[in-house]
Amino acid sequence: EVQLVESGGGLVQAGGSLRLSCATSCFTFDDYAIGWFRQAPGKEREGVSAISSSDGYTVYADSVKGRFTISSDNAKNTVYLQMNSLKPEDTAVYYCAVQWGVGASLGRHEYDYWGQGTQVTVSS
């Protein structure tokens, strides 16, 4: 059974940092990608970043480039999202998700399994 569990969310002041973790059972499979998405109240879920298992290729949304970094620790079966220089507009529930065969992508409809999310709140 595929499972993804997010952690690391919380309340932080603008300019601060958080590191989100996505613990997953997906590492026993080949050629998958893990993506991070977020959804703010009243808005659609949007892609933030993704990483491919085959070559480590990463992709970022323009709104987070230079501030967020995605990484993978295969030994711990965990994918991280380091978020620096946080802004109030980064406030959202953050989800990780997995898909196979497409490669690192920010398209939410391409992902097959989702975690339950972790809340990130950035105060001004």
Side-chain angles (χ1 to χ4, degrees):
E1 180 182 359
V2 176
Q3 292 184 329
L4 302 101
V5 180
E6 304 94 337
S7 62
L11 173 64
V12 64
Q13 288 187 332
S17 298
L18 284 173
R19 189 178 76 161
L20 305 184
S21 300
C22 175
T24 174
S25 61
C26 306
F27 286 80
T28 57
F29 303 98
D30 295 330
D31 193 22
Y32 61 88
I34 301 290
W36 281 100
F37 296 78
R38 65 187 182 186
Q39 188 166 19
K43 295 188 177 181
E44 290 191 354
R45 192 170 299 187
E46 63 174 354
V48 174
S49 183
I51 186 167
S52 171
S53 69
S54 59
D55 57 8
Y57 178 79
T58 59
V59 62
Y60 295 91
D62 288 343
S63 59
V64 306
K65 281 181 181 177
R67 300 189 297 124
F68 291 11
T69 303
I70 191 170
S71 62
S72 177
D73 185 337
N74 290 354
K76 296 183 178 180
N77 289 355
T78 301
V79 172
Y80 301 99
L81 185 69
Q82 178 67 44
M83 306 187 297
N84 298 329
S85 302
L86 283 162
K87 305 175 181 180
E89 51 262 44
D90 294 318
T91 295
V93 177
Y94 284 70
Y95 301 88
C96 62
V98 63
Q99 46 91 344
W100 289 268
V102 178
S105 166
L106 298 182
R108 60 188 175 98
H109 297 294
E110 296 171 338
Y111 285 76
D112 301 304
Y113 292 90
W114 294 79
Q116 293 188 332
T118 186
Q119 176 71 48
V120 172
T121 303
V122 184
S123 63
S124 57

